[in-house]
Amino acid sequence: MIVKEIIEPKSIVVVGGSNDTRKPGGKVLENILRGGFDGELFVVNPKESSVQGVKAFPSCGDISPVELAIFAIPAGMIPEAMELLASRGTRGFIVLSAGFSEMGEEGKKLEAKIAEIARSAGGTLIGPNCIGVITQKYKGVFAGPIPEYDPMGCDFVSASGATAVFILEEAIVRGIKFSEIFSVGNSAQIGIEEVLEYWDETYQEGKSSNVKLIYAEQIVNPQKFLKHTLSLKAKGCRIAGIKAGRTKAGQRAVSSHTGAMAGEDTAVDLLFRKAGIIRCEGRLDLVNVAGILLGKKPNGKRVAVVTHAGGPGVMLTDTLESEGIDVPRIEGKDAEELLSHLNYGSSVSNPIDFLATGTAEQLDLILNYADNKFDNIDSIAVIFGTPGLFDVTNVYEVLFSKQRSSRKPIFAILPSIVQAKDAIERYKSLGGNYFNDEVAFGKALAKVLKTELRETGETKSFEDIDVAKIRNIIQQSRDGFLPAMGTIAILESTGIPFVATKLVKANEELIPAIKEIGLPVVMKVVGPVHKTEVGGVEVGIASLSEAEAKFAELMKIERAEGVQIQPVANGVELFFGVKYEKDFGHIIVFGLGGIFVELLKDVQMCLAPITTAEAMEMVEGIRSKAILEGFRGKPSVDKVSVCNILLRISNLVQIAPEIVEMDINPAFGNGGKILAVDARIKIQTTK
Ligand code: ADP
Ligand code: MG
């Protein structure tokens, strides 16, 4: 929990405050002083009586009680100082110093110790090994440019102090404002999840910023992360984030395809998607997305491109269209009326090009039309630079005032960062933010639109799932792969049809089984995990004598326990899978069977429980989707039926969370019929 002393301290002590502003203890003090902190401020520094004009005390025991302590002293000295302060009522602790868990075992112990001191004081520890915190009340950071505070600017939490600083560098240049910034460092007590929890619990509409930015490397408590991101989004927040680093899952040796594949992507990636966070690739991408999120929220995906320079307008249009965002044609009476007010040679059909001679008045008019009259437009991107012949300050002033007054979002792409430097500064001083590259902007906008306008759908439960039977089988099974017939029973109880299968263990059972199934049949060995690899699958056995010979052959395979007899199924081979990821839960996987999954890794994944919309997204998301639609005379597969299987699997893992791996590979899809022919389920009762 983040106590109020971290957010609004009435008094602060900088332990290790210094006159040398090239040191963290000097810089943080300077930033607090420059930031206009209006509470009581103390410095503890045994060597000085006054530091940067602030009275300095030799020890933490010498100052009157303070609410917040910021430490910039060697790690080993911190526990004692913290304990002393805690005993005198301090509840906020920010440890800038490094030398903790990042340094190995000793450091880990030290870190656990300071976290425990904060915890038992009922307080909050930020860090250690962080650059600090910025709130409205104080600028408690030792590094980086300090952005202008705006309660409606971006709230930002970062696992890396240096990354946060570099993001601020770019953001400030672009006019992006910030409200609260937390650098969580080693996250001894407060990680990204806890900061999100705090923003969620203190959110007040109209008073709190609704743009949240995240730089994460690791999510320790995925369920908490998801809970608060979803809750913030439900309150109207817009969240973007970078996730760097991968989970350890990929390194783990796993026995099934799903396991290997699920490890390659990462559970954190899937968590971000589940939470509806706009995923950014890097700093510049995050800054572009942040600039978009600070604007108004578009109601749809249709964009008007307004420019006085052809090229960038074309590039932006290309980018948007290729990302699946509409740049619709603008025509009709209103379009003609607008055209009549523009210079000869202009075009309004979208892109709206009002030529190099375009004026501020014309821009004003265009924006009026685009905002109020063109119904097929949801947002407007204006690209306006200058070849240096005239001042564009008045153009940017119009742009800014329209951004404020319009109903639809208007985005400013201002390429002339040298020639229009002063005009851009003026625009920023009014409160505007801008983009400097139309292609990067277009990609960022596409990402925002696709994430925010994405349908979420509902989870679905199925009345016909035989929960009791599934529980019964699981409870009677030992950890590891379930026996073949148990696997089939679980799938059938879940409502996932499995091809008629007879298990034959002795010669005399063979002919009756084949007669029951009917020729031709498929025969496969039972026992080995991967059957094809050991020559254990034969499709299309057409005679009884052939079957008898095959049976003898299959039973000779190492670990053979019997042979399955199945009819020959046909259609498109589909793959369904499940992989359990500790703390994150079950990952559901979908793709086409055979080489599509194994060689091309063309799969889609989603964290369970999945919704109807997420199931459809998975089906639509595979690259080889066209094959489902019927390719070269092959049967097509009904996508809704595929979704239903995915939704049933999602139900299954909730009923039987002991399932740690499951592969249905393949199931044959033919129209609305989906029929599994091979499956394995691995369970683990203790996780
Ligand atoms: P494994 O994956 O252990 O090698 P499978 O049971 O998946 O064994 O069989 C391998 C391949 O044989 C399948 O991918 C599929 O192409 C084909 N096959 C298996 N069972 C059938 C069946 N009943 N009808 C048609 N083809 C089948
Ligand atoms: Mg198989």
Side-chain angles (χ1 to χ4, degrees):
M1 205 195 63
I2 296 183
V3 295
K4 70 172 192 326
E5 286 85 346
I6 292 281
I7 310 299
E8 300 174 303
K10 293 196 185 74
S11 48
I12 302 178
V13 58
V14 178
V15 183
S18 159
N19 278 314
D20 185 350
T21 54
R22 289 166 305 174
K23 288 185 177 164
K27 195 72 187 171
V28 70
L29 182 64
E30 184 183 61
N31 283 336
I32 293 169
L33 288 166
R34 284 198 185 158
F37 174 64
D38 59 4
E40 267 185 296
L41 189 58
F42 305 95
V43 166
V44 169
N45 182 333
K47 294 189 197 126
E48 312 277 351
S49 59
S50 160
V51 173
Q52 298 185 42
V54 178
K55 190 166 161 44
F57 296 84
S59 137
C60 290
D62 301 325
I63 54 169
S64 25
V66 285
E67 292 195 343
L68 171 67
I70 301 177
F71 297 89
I73 55 174
M77 293 164 71
I78 293 178
E80 200 190 321
M82 255 181 92
E83 246 159 11
L84 188 58
L85 288 163
S87 72
R88 305 182 68 216
T90 303
R91 300 221 302 150
F93 305 93
I94 299 174
V95 176
L96 307 178
S97 322
F100 290 89
S101 62
E102 80 281 6
M103 301 292 284
E105 274 315 305
E106 279 306 300
K108 239 184 214 152
K109 278 186 209 152
L110 201 59
E111 188 168 307
K113 193 166 177 182
I114 60 169
E116 178 50 30
I117 297 169
R119 197 195 60 78
S120 54
T124 300
L125 167 65
I126 304 283
N129 191 18
C130 70
I131 62 160
V133 172
I134 291 179
T135 72
Q136 181 159 26
K137 184 90 179 167
Y138 71 107
K139 315 295 165 224
V141 292
F142 78 83
I146 310 281
E148 190 182 321
Y149 184 88
D150 178 348
M152 289 298 150
C154 304
D155 280 329
F156 181 23
V157 58
S158 179
S160 154
T163 309
V165 163
F166 300 152
I167 287 170
L168 293 179
E169 294 271 1
E170 179 69 16
I172 291 171
V173 170
R174 304 274 208 85
I176 291 172
K177 307 251 171 35
F178 286 82
S179 76
E180 291 176 351
I181 300 176
F182 291 87
S183 147
V184 291
N186 295 0
S187 301
Q189 188 197 29
I190 300 296
I192 288 167
E193 298 89 317
E194 284 72 29
V195 174
L196 290 166
E197 176 185 41
Y198 152 72
W199 282 332
D200 183 18
E201 286 172 354
T202 57
Y203 184 82
Q204 282 180 284
E205 209 186 321
K207 287 190 178 162
S208 311
S209 162
N210 70 346
V211 177
K212 313 289 178 198
L213 307 181
I214 300 169
Y215 172 83
E217 284 172 358
Q218 205 195 358
I219 304 295
V220 182
N221 190 339
Q223 301 309 326
K224 188 171 189 176
F225 181 90
L226 192 61
K227 177 181 166 196
H228 295 295
T229 43
L230 290 177
S231 167
L232 282 164
K233 286 198 55 148
K235 290 172 184 173
C237 289
R238 313 175 78 185
I239 311 177
I242 299 175
K243 198 284 300 170
R246 290 182 170 266
T247 64
K248 295 188 192 74
Q251 297 146 21
R252 207 179 304 138
V254 277
S255 49
S256 70
H257 299 303
T258 312
M261 286 181 315
E264 276 171 27
D265 204 320
T266 73
V268 181
D269 290 338
L270 299 177
L271 185 71
F272 266 48
R273 182 148 22 114
K274 190 105 201 157
I277 295 174
I278 301 151
R279 278 258 313 274
C280 297
E281 299 305 326
R283 292 183 288 113
L284 297 190
D285 193 18
L286 185 70
V287 169
N288 282 323
V289 166
I292 292 166
L293 297 186
L294 286 173
K296 290 172 179 141
K297 194 170 181 171
N299 288 324
K301 286 188 184 170
R302 301 161 305 176
V303 181
V305 173
V306 179
T307 181
H308 69 146
V314 177
M315 286 191 278
L316 176 54
T317 305
D318 279 347
T319 305
L320 291 171
E321 290 270 325
S322 67
E323 296 281 341
I325 304 300
D326 272 358
V327 181
R329 202 180 168 77
I330 297 173
E331 54 195 352
K333 196 174 82 19
D334 291 328
E336 280 159 29
E337 196 179 285
L338 172 62
L339 188 61
S340 72
H341 295 293
L342 304 181
N343 296 345
Y344 179 74
S346 298
S347 160
V348 296
S349 58
N350 201 15
I352 299 174
D353 186 345
F354 64 127
L355 309 180
T357 47
T359 63
E361 293 70 36
Q362 288 170 339
L363 179 64
D364 190 63
L365 200 65
I366 292 168
L367 293 177
N368 267 338
Y369 272 78
D371 190 32
N372 300 309
K373 302 205 172 181
F374 300 153
D375 294 336
N376 60 342
I377 294 301
D378 303 301
S379 61
I380 306 154
V382 178
I383 308 170
F384 205 103
T386 172
L389 298 180
F390 56 91
D391 183 15
V392 291
T393 306
N394 59 343
V395 178
Y396 293 177
E397 282 171 355
V398 164
L399 190 50
F400 179 74
S401 86
K402 282 287 177 219
Q403 284 178 318
R404 278 282 156 96
S405 64
S406 65
R407 290 179 300 129
K408 300 172 187 171
I410 300 175
F411 304 107
I413 297 129
L414 311 181
S416 302
I417 52 174
V418 175
Q419 302 213 79
K421 190 167 182 288
D422 295 341
I424 291 176
E425 284 308 319
R426 162 85 184 137
Y427 166 80
K428 273 164 61 179
S429 73
L430 294 171
N433 73 70
Y434 72 98
F435 308 87
N436 52 26
D437 178 66
E438 53 283 345
V439 171
F441 162 79
K443 287 188 176 158
L445 180 63
K447 195 149 38 183
V448 170
L449 293 173
K450 281 191 231 168
T451 311
E452 293 197 326
L453 299 173
R454 172 180 173 232
E455 279 188 38
T456 47
E458 303 276 327
T459 54
K460 188 170 168 184
S461 44
F462 298 84
E463 296 293 308
D464 60 346
I465 294 182
D466 191 341
V467 178
K469 186 159 180 197
I470 295 169
R471 286 306 319 155
N472 205 14
I473 298 171
I474 298 281
Q475 260 141 20
Q476 285 176 17
S477 304
R478 270 180 289 147
D479 281 5
F481 285 105
L482 294 184
M485 296 321 260
T487 301
I488 294 173
I490 286 200
L491 293 184
E492 285 180 339
S493 306
T494 310
I496 300 171
F498 201 94
V499 69
T501 302
K502 285 261 149 199
L503 177 61
V504 175
K505 292 198 169 180
N507 223 349
E508 59 272 22
E509 297 164 10
L510 181 66
I511 304 300
I514 292 181
K515 285 194 169 147
E516 207 179 313
I517 299 283
L519 285 166
V521 293
V522 178
M523 291 176 71
K524 38 180 121 164
V525 68
V526 175
V529 173
H530 299 291
K531 301 178 286 294
T532 302
E533 279 84 338
V534 293
V537 180
E538 192 66 35
V539 178
I541 292 181
S543 72
L544 295 178
S545 58
E546 203 186 322
E548 279 176 323
K550 197 75 204 173
F551 181 73
E553 195 186 306
L554 292 175
M555 288 305 281
K556 282 194 207 116
I557 293 173
E558 210 185 317
R559 281 185 306 179
E561 295 160 9
V563 169
Q564 282 180 337
I565 314 289
Q566 297 176 340
V568 178
N570 54 55
V572 177
E573 291 196 27
L574 308 173
F575 173 94
F576 299 92
V578 170
K579 165 86 177 74
Y580 177 78
E581 188 66 44
K582 194 174 179 318
D583 300 327
F584 288 80
H586 293 88
I587 297 169
I588 298 180
V589 188
F590 170 70
L592 298 191
I595 60 159
F596 292 101
V597 161
E598 281 155 39
L599 187 68
L600 303 175
K601 308 269 188 273
D602 181 14
V603 291
Q604 286 289 308
M605 303 186 203
C606 190
L607 280 175
I610 60 171
T611 65
T612 49
E614 285 171 327
M616 193 47 96
E617 239 175 36
M618 291 173 77
V619 176
E620 294 280 348
I622 55 168
R623 295 194 300 278
S624 41
K625 175 178 83 160
I627 293 174
L628 291 179
E629 289 155 3
F631 187 67
R632 292 201 162 166
K634 285 263 172 66
S636 64
V637 186
D638 175 45
K639 291 178 188 168
V640 174
S641 305
V642 177
C643 287
N644 270 319
I645 301 286
L646 290 167
L647 291 161
R648 283 178 184 275
I649 293 173
S650 177
N651 277 255
L652 172 62
V653 294
Q654 281 188 295
I655 296 163
E658 295 90 344
I659 295 176
V660 286
E661 278 176 42
M662 176 169 108
D663 277 8
I664 301 175
N665 186 19
F668 282 87
N670 203 333
K673 284 221 297 259
I674 314 264
L675 189 63
V677 304
D678 179 37
R680 42 185 160 258
I681 294 177
K682 188 177 181 183
I683 64 164
Q684 194 181 318
T685 39
T686 49
K687 281 188 275 207

